[in-house]
Amino acid sequence: MKLSLFAATLFLLLCAEAKSAEIGGEGGFYYVKLKNQKSYRTGYDLWNGKKRGFFYNLFIGKKFKIKKGSVFKVSIVSGTTKLPFVNAFTPIEDRLFPYQSRTFDIRELYLRKRHFILENLTLTAGKSRFNFSPVFNDYLWGGKFSYRLKDNLWFNYYQIAGYEGKYLLLNGESEDDVDIFGPEIVWKKGKYVLSAAAIRISDARGNEKGINKNNLILRVKSENEAFDAAVQNGKWGFYGKWENNLLKLEGCAFEKGFTSYGYREGVPDFGVIYHPAVSDLKALRVALKKTYGEFRLFPYVAVYNKSRIEGGSKLLVGSEKSNLFLTAAMGDGDRWGFFTGYSWKGIPQFPFKRFQIPSFKLKNYFDIAGEYANFPQHFYNVQSGYEGWNTAKHVGYWHSTYKLTMYSDRFTVKVSTGRNSKTDYVIWGNTADNFLYQKNAGKLWHFEEAYISIRQLKAGLQNVKIPGFIDANLSGLRYSFRALSGGAFAEREGGHTVKYLFAQTLFKNFGVSGLLRKKESEKDAVAGLHVSIKGLRGGFLREWNRNGSLSSREWGGFLKFEGAIKNLKVNALYEVYSTNFETFGMKEFFRNVSYIYRPGESNIRFLKLLVKKNLELGRKKIDRLKPEIGFIYDRLTRFSGSYVGEETGIILSLKPGKFCKLSLIGTVGTNHSFCNGLNFQVKW
């Protein structure tokens, strides 16, 4: 499934202004004879023994410009961001890496916004490259504020979600996440760039004693020279590089105990055979650069800790964009290895000149959200995808959502992050690119829509919506004629096929909807009426024949108002669903209606009131951001009327750009509960 999702994403990005897409890959054959080493770089745990097999490495990326000063980038790489390739068609015992083959990972998914609130302030947030050589150099989830003090002087502050473990905590559990943060000063003088940073790696370690790695980092670099030095809790390490058109020299030295803490090391691979960890490492590499027409040769010699010697060369035949390659190396102690294959960069050419991609349009959505909350631990029925939130005591995590929609008159394809449309986000966490959320969820991408349209007929994965009941994506056929529409859909649930029959009539101010659900011997039905008069909407739903019982008649209803009263924007919602009313695991129509609470559409009475007001402070620099303040009040009870809790708070919103919105949330609730949140959205 991951391969097919990646292929779809690859196609979408290729089609989206293909000339500006970044595409590359390589694949081939390896044959190595390795022996055990004392230590390994991150991810090289299986780097031993005599092995042979096939490998590949694929990359696709696309950068979008969002008006002046804003850039969004998404890129996907095969394997992980820490390893050079993944194994393909190779037995498990011959694999060089412990990760599964034919997998893909998000390498970059970030937004860079210049003039963010302040004229000289730039925000970069999402997953991007963080280079703190010689400590680590990796693609991680996090953010950076960069303030330009002068034309050649910048102050940066970094906040990185190093690892996200148990972000939803129950009684007796403590946070086990890793945070990376600290300031940096960058000064450019002539051809040189000098920087000084103080970066802390802070590991909470759950109920055990925490660990801090404090790093002071100094760096000097130019196009052909670099010198990086660091002190980590009193232990030192450095890396240096010098090169010209014919020669390249690299060296590094680290004291015993120096660590990258599971992230990709801050120094590059020096060779093909040896890949030791940086602790107690001293290495020197000398490489030549030779060019003979279409032939390019890069011989090298590397020495590790004065006792390990490796010599080899890489031969390239072809152009810069596509070439055949052969890499061979030999080391002491009868160690050797070679890799051969084909590599390419750029857009592949279609073999038929008459082949044309049909015209289409694109829509993008990206958000960054952070939540830190204590819960009242009162039982109620939660919305699907948020199981455990009613009994948990605390949550603290960052997450992002990206949705890409490509559409025309004949087809629509929509890809989203997350495992499904109910949890359409990825948790920020980086250790070994294999954080707990990804292990549990199993997927980083999913299709939300993928259908073709032939006149009034839609075939494929599409949205099915009944106001007050569901807003789900189902696969099937749907036919529409004027105000009438109906269809047949199916989905897999727990190894069983669930079938649906859907019918809907929509007029200007009201509509009637019905859904029949069949799973094995179970049969359920729901029907509802909804009305809309200016800013007022309401609906009533009835369920019956649950599991064949004619006496089962659960019901639900809602009333919603959106409008303006004088200079106030008012949003009011009241929901009521009987004790056993349910949406059968489908995505609910009302979701994320509160911050401390995540009520589903079952056994609840929920009231929400949000009043907003534009703020005019009389200062142009602030008023241009269109500040807005909102006051929230929520009250949740069970259908019987028994009390669950209340929530009240404030939302402060700013618009630092035409397509984006920043919201700061602060609420307090019952039983010492609270929620502090941040949300930044961009649509283009």
Side-chain angles (χ1 to χ4, degrees):
M1 180 59 72
K2 288 186 177 182
L3 183 60
S4 62
L5 288 174
F6 174 79
T9 308
L10 173 67
F11 175 73
L12 290 173
L13 294 173
L14 276 172
C15 294
E17 304 174 17
K19 293 183 179 180
S20 61
E22 302 174 30
I23 304 169
E26 64 179 4
F29 174 77
Y30 67 86
Y31 194 13
V32 298
K33 185 179 180 182
L34 309 165
K35 292 185 178 181
N36 292 334
Q37 302 178 35
K38 293 182 179 179
S39 64
Y40 298 92
R41 290 172 67 99
T42 300
Y44 283 78
D45 309 77
L46 301 183
W47 201 257
N48 59 71
K50 190 174 183 179
K51 302 179 180 182
R52 59 184 175 183
F54 295 91
F55 68 90
Y56 69 87
N57 177 22
L58 300 175
F59 168 80
I60 173 71
K62 178 73 177 70
K63 185 179 288 187
F64 299 88
K65 291 185 179 180
I66 312 170
K67 288 293 184 178
K68 185 178 179 180
S70 298
V71 171
F72 174 79
K73 185 173 183 181
V74 55
S75 66
I76 301 172
V77 65
S78 57
T80 74
T81 61
K82 296 171 174 58
L83 303 178
F85 55 79
V86 293
N87 305 123
F89 317 114
T90 301
I92 294 176
E93 61 272 14
D94 282 341
R95 292 183 180 177
L96 291 174
F97 301 102
Y99 302 97
Q100 296 179 354
S101 63
R102 298 183 297 279
T103 59
F104 297 89
D105 191 22
I106 298 172
R107 192 175 87 165
E108 295 163 297
L109 187 69
Y110 70 85
L111 172 76
R112 179 172 292 127
K113 169 66 178 168
R114 294 177 59 194
H115 314 303
F116 181 73
I117 301 180
L118 302 176
E119 180 68 21
N120 293 339
L121 185 63
T122 298
L123 167 70
T124 304
K127 191 173 187 181
S128 60
R129 184 182 178 188
F130 291 91
N131 187 354
F132 293 107
S133 176
V135 182
F136 65 83
N137 179 7
D138 207 345
Y139 292 89
L140 306 175
W141 289 100
K144 178 180 78 169
F145 284 108
S146 181
Y147 188 81
R148 180 169 55 85
L149 300 170
K150 295 182 179 180
D151 290 341
N152 64 342
L153 184 64
W154 296 266
F155 173 81
N156 300 326
Y157 182 80
Y158 298 88
Q159 185 72 46
I160 304 170
Y163 172 75
E164 192 65 57
K166 297 178 181 178
Y167 59 90
L168 191 65
L169 303 180
L170 302 174
N171 278 322
E173 294 180 331
S174 300
E175 292 183 354
D176 60 352
D177 56 336
V178 179
D179 293 309
I180 305 173
F181 55 91
E184 179 187 43
I185 289 287
V186 180
W187 179 45
K188 186 175 181 180
K189 181 66 174 178
K191 68 175 184 177
Y192 292 100
V193 177
L194 296 86
S195 64
I199 302 299
R200 167 174 281 193
I201 303 174
S202 180
D203 188 350
R205 301 187 69 206
N207 295 326
E208 300 180 16
K209 184 179 180 180
I211 294 176
N212 290 316
K213 296 293 183 181
N214 301 308
N215 302 274
L216 295 176
I217 304 168
L218 297 175
R219 304 182 64 197
V220 181
K221 64 179 181 179
S222 66
E223 183 177 355
N224 297 317
E225 301 164 287
F227 180 78
D228 307 327
V231 177
Q232 182 183 87
N233 289 11
K235 302 182 184 298
W236 53 265
F238 75 83
Y239 164 78
K241 180 191 76 171
W242 178 88
E243 65 178 315
N244 59 19
N245 294 331
L246 300 175
L247 182 66
K248 182 177 181 179
L249 301 175
E250 289 180 283
C252 68
F254 294 90
E255 195 173 355
K256 187 175 183 179
F258 198 100
T259 177
S260 66
Y261 214 72
Y263 306 105
R264 191 174 70 177
E265 287 79 358
V267 296
D269 282 304
F270 278 25
V272 174
I273 298 174
Y274 297 109
H275 297 280
V278 295
S279 176
D280 197 23
L281 174 66
K282 297 175 180 61
L284 177 65
R285 184 177 190 270
V286 181
L288 298 176
K289 296 185 251 185
K290 297 281 188 178
T291 302
Y292 307 96
E294 291 189 352
F295 293 83
R296 286 172 290 154
L297 189 64
F298 302 92
Y300 73 92
V301 175
V303 181
Y304 306 88
N305 291 344
K306 299 181 182 179
S307 60
R308 298 295 185 199
I309 300 176
E310 176 183 340
S313 182
K314 184 171 186 178
L315 173 65
L316 302 177
V317 182
S319 65
E320 291 283 348
K321 291 188 176 182
S322 61
N323 56 69
L324 297 171
F325 66 87
L326 171 63
T327 301
M330 294 187 65
D332 61 289
D334 193 25
R335 295 175 172 90
W336 50 265
F338 75 85
F339 296 76
T340 184
Y342 176 77
S343 64
W344 54 275
K345 295 179 181 179
I347 306 295
Q349 300 297 317
F350 293 108
F352 305 107
K353 293 183 179 180
R354 294 183 179 181
F355 180 84
Q356 293 183 352
I357 299 174
S359 60
F360 58 89
K361 297 180 181 179
L362 287 177
K363 289 196 297 186
N364 295 268
Y365 171 85
F366 178 64
D367 75 23
I368 299 161
E371 298 183 47
Y372 187 85
N374 276 352
F375 298 135
Q377 298 178 270
H378 289 171
F379 180 80
Y380 62 95
N381 290 344
V382 297
Q383 65 190 37
S384 55
Y386 282 78
E387 292 76 13
W389 282 59
N390 49 358
T391 56
K393 69 171 184 178
H394 172 73
V395 66
Y397 70 130
W398 289 86
H399 56 87
S400 283
T401 298
Y402 173 58
K403 298 179 186 291
L404 173 62
T405 305
M406 180 175 69
Y407 63 98
S408 72
D409 295 336
R410 294 294 182 91
F411 72 92
T412 296
V413 177
K414 185 176 183 181
V415 179
S416 173
T417 50
R419 58 182 172 179
N420 54 44
S421 60
K422 289 174 272 191
T423 51
D424 58 355
Y425 52 80
V426 285
I427 305 290
W428 290 16
N430 301 288
T431 298
D433 283 340
N434 215 9
F435 51 94
L436 292 183
Y437 174 80
Q438 182 175 338
K439 286 183 179 180
N440 296 333
K443 290 169 59 176
L444 293 177
W445 298 91
H446 70 276
F447 284 111
E448 291 205 345
E449 294 179 302
Y451 64 84
I452 58 174
S453 301
I454 305 174
R455 295 183 179 178
Q456 288 84 22
L457 181 67
K458 287 184 180 180
L461 180 64
Q462 54 194 287
N463 183 254
V464 177
K465 185 181 298 184
I466 298 179
F469 180 53
I470 62 165
D471 184 0
N473 300 315
L474 300 174
S475 296
L477 296 172
R478 181 171 183 170
Y479 184 82
S480 300
F481 178 73
R482 295 183 179 177
L484 301 174
S485 67
F489 304 92
E491 66 175 351
R492 296 290 291 175
E493 180 183 298
H496 301 284
T497 299
V498 185
K499 301 175 182 178
Y500 302 93
L501 287 178
F502 171 75
Q504 190 171 63
T505 302
L506 295 177
F507 296 99
K508 183 177 181 180
N509 294 322
F510 75 94
V512 179
S513 305
L515 185 73
L516 176 65
R517 173 183 179 271
K518 185 179 184 299
K519 177 183 177 183
E520 298 296 315
S521 60
E522 300 176 10
K523 290 183 180 180
D524 312 284
V526 64
L529 168 71
H530 66 274
V531 296
S532 176
I533 304 174
K534 293 185 177 180
L536 183 65
R537 288 187 292 165
F540 178 80
L541 302 127
R542 170 76 82 172
E543 287 182 1
W544 73 94
N545 197 39
R546 177 174 300 177
N547 299 327
S549 174
L550 295 175
S551 62
S552 175
R553 289 191 175 94
E554 302 298 326
W555 63 277
F558 72 94
L559 191 64
K560 186 173 183 179
F561 173 77
E562 289 183 282
I565 301 176
K566 294 186 177 180
N567 60 344
L568 300 177
K569 300 176 185 176
V570 179
N571 187 324
L573 171 66
Y574 181 69
E575 303 174 61
V576 54
Y577 295 94
S578 62
T579 305
N580 295 313
F581 189 95
E582 62 175 313
T583 58
F584 311 109
M586 290 186 286
K587 181 183 174 184
E588 299 89 345
F589 185 82
F590 292 110
R591 292 180 62 85
N592 301 324
V593 291
S594 180
Y595 295 99
I596 294 176
Y597 305 97
R598 293 292 196 277
E601 294 174 357
S602 176
N603 192 22
I604 68 159
R605 295 178 186 269
F606 179 76
L607 172 66
K608 175 180 180 177
L609 181 64
L610 173 61
V611 180
K612 299 180 181 179
K613 186 181 187 308
N614 294 327
L615 297 177
E616 295 183 4
L617 304 178
R619 303 188 65 176
K620 291 184 179 180
K621 290 185 177 181
I622 298 178
D623 289 344
R624 70 178 178 84
L625 301 174
K626 299 179 180 179
E628 183 181 70
I629 190 170
F631 299 93
I632 315 164
Y633 174 75
D634 301 331
R635 179 181 173 87
L636 177 64
T637 64
R638 301 177 186 89
F639 180 71
S640 63
S642 58
Y643 181 75
V644 176
E646 293 173 278
E647 176 183 23
T648 184
I650 295 175
I651 299 178
L652 179 62
S653 301
L654 302 172
K655 291 187 177 180
K658 182 179 179 181
F659 302 99
C660 54
K661 182 178 181 180
L662 172 67
S663 299
L664 304 173
I665 303 107
T667 68
V668 294
T670 307
N671 196 22
H672 307 291
S673 59
F674 67 86
C675 177
N676 296 318
L678 179 147
N679 185 272
F680 185 69
Q681 299 178 351
V682 185
K683 298 178 182 179
W684 72 99

